Amino acid sequence: MKIAIIGGTGDQGLGLALRFVKAGEDIIIGSRDAKKAENAVDIVKEMLEDGEVSNIRGSTNVDAAKEGDIILLTVPLQAQIVTLRSIKEYIGDKIVIDATVPLDGCLGGRPTRYVDVWQGSAAERTAELLEDTDAKVVSAFNNISAASLLNIKDDVDCDCLVSGDDEKARKEVMALAEKIPNVRSLDCGPLENARIVEKITPLLINLNIRNKIKLAGLRITGL
């Protein structure tokens, strides 16, 4: 199974690529610029201290979407729609994991402020754009900080909250998330619950800033 990380050259995309490559998954890092994607691949290899890693490569977003079995969208809010439109014709019935969080910081404002989108959540925005395809949209990885993912020497101390309207797709994404050591996936039900999950991220960012840390995460107890 190939995972295409669309817009995978930012910290979140790099962190997820790093963790999944280490877990043995086949990863394609996508970018608008193929050279930038190749540079990201080199960064992952350097962080893993293994220049011979063969289960990762870089390409354009379009080529990554064509080849990937699962699409993982890791772009900022302002790039979400234009990026999806550029790859839409290649999505078909694939699982599309949306890790987008509507933050004011993406628009030049405060990173601790959530931006309400008309559709209710960024994930539902993706679903609306892809409603004339057979794509199965799942919201996940919104609350796992890039800093935790990139801190490859330590496990990620965070739950992954997963929501989506297709139960089979949701379960598949949950299993994928748990390939990251110490991550526990939680089934949050239908996609509309992404409206709640996405709003947790600016709270975590605020906690990081107030406590001068970078690794604040979320654990749900009692389950």
Side-chain angles (χ1 to χ4, degrees):
M1 180 178 65
K2 296 178 183 177
I3 303 169
I5 304 181
I6 305 300
T9 59
D11 287 347
Q12 190 78 3
L14 277 174
L16 288 167
L18 185 67
R19 294 291 178 165
F20 288 138
V21 167
K22 190 174 182 181
E25 297 296 318
D26 289 326
I27 301 299
I28 308 170
I29 290 183
S31 173
R32 289 178 298 172
D33 182 345
K35 180 62 177 177
K36 191 174 180 181
E38 291 166 5
N39 290 339
V41 169
D42 290 338
I43 291 172
V44 169
K45 289 182 177 181
E46 183 178 344
M47 294 185 73
L48 289 172
E49 299 179 348
D50 187 354
E52 302 302 317
V53 171
S54 61
N55 58 325
I56 183 171
R57 59 189 178 84
S59 74
T60 64
N61 283 330
V62 168
D63 287 340
K66 286 179 182 178
E67 296 184 48
D69 301 305
I70 289 181
I71 307 296
L72 174 50
L73 186 67
T74 59
V75 297
L77 179 65
Q78 70 271 24
Q80 182 191 27
I81 295 300
V82 67
T83 302
L84 284 169
R85 284 176 176 161
S86 73
I87 64 172
K88 181 178 178 179
E89 64 180 292
Y90 309 109
I91 288 177
D93 62 352
K94 298 175 183 178
I95 293 174
V96 177
I97 306 171
D98 194 328
T100 309
V101 176
L103 296 174
D104 193 28
C106 298
L107 306 174
R110 296 180 183 178
T112 56
R113 181 177 292 164
Y114 184 86
V115 176
D116 287 308
V117 294
W118 181 260
Q119 297 82 355
S121 67
E124 289 171 289
R125 197 180 187 213
T126 289
E128 181 181 85
L129 182 68
L130 301 178
E131 64 183 355
D132 56 346
T133 73
D134 294 319
K136 294 171 279 290
V137 179
V138 177
S139 173
F141 304 113
N142 314 88
N143 308 135
I144 301 179
S145 75
S148 292
L149 292 167
L150 291 167
N151 184 27
I152 195 64
K153 293 182 180 179
D154 295 323
D155 290 348
V156 176
D157 187 17
C158 189
D159 288 339
C160 182
L161 308 183
V162 181
S163 55
D165 293 333
D166 186 290
E167 183 177 3
K168 183 178 179 182
R170 201 166 63 236
K171 298 296 184 185
E172 190 169 340
V173 174
M174 290 174 65
L176 177 64
E178 292 191 347
K179 293 188 178 183
I180 302 174
N182 207 34
V183 167
R184 179 184 61 166
S185 291
L186 297 180
D187 189 338
C188 294
L191 193 63
E192 67 179 6
N193 287 328
R195 302 178 185 189
I196 301 168
V197 174
E198 290 175 4
K199 289 181 179 178
I200 296 171
T201 299
L203 172 63
L204 294 174
I205 293 172
N206 182 59
L207 289 171
N208 276 328
I209 293 172
R210 290 177 64 85
N211 293 280
K212 298 179 181 179
I213 59 173
K214 293 183 179 180
L215 306 179
L218 181 74
R219 287 291 193 196
I220 306 298
T221 62
L223 296 178

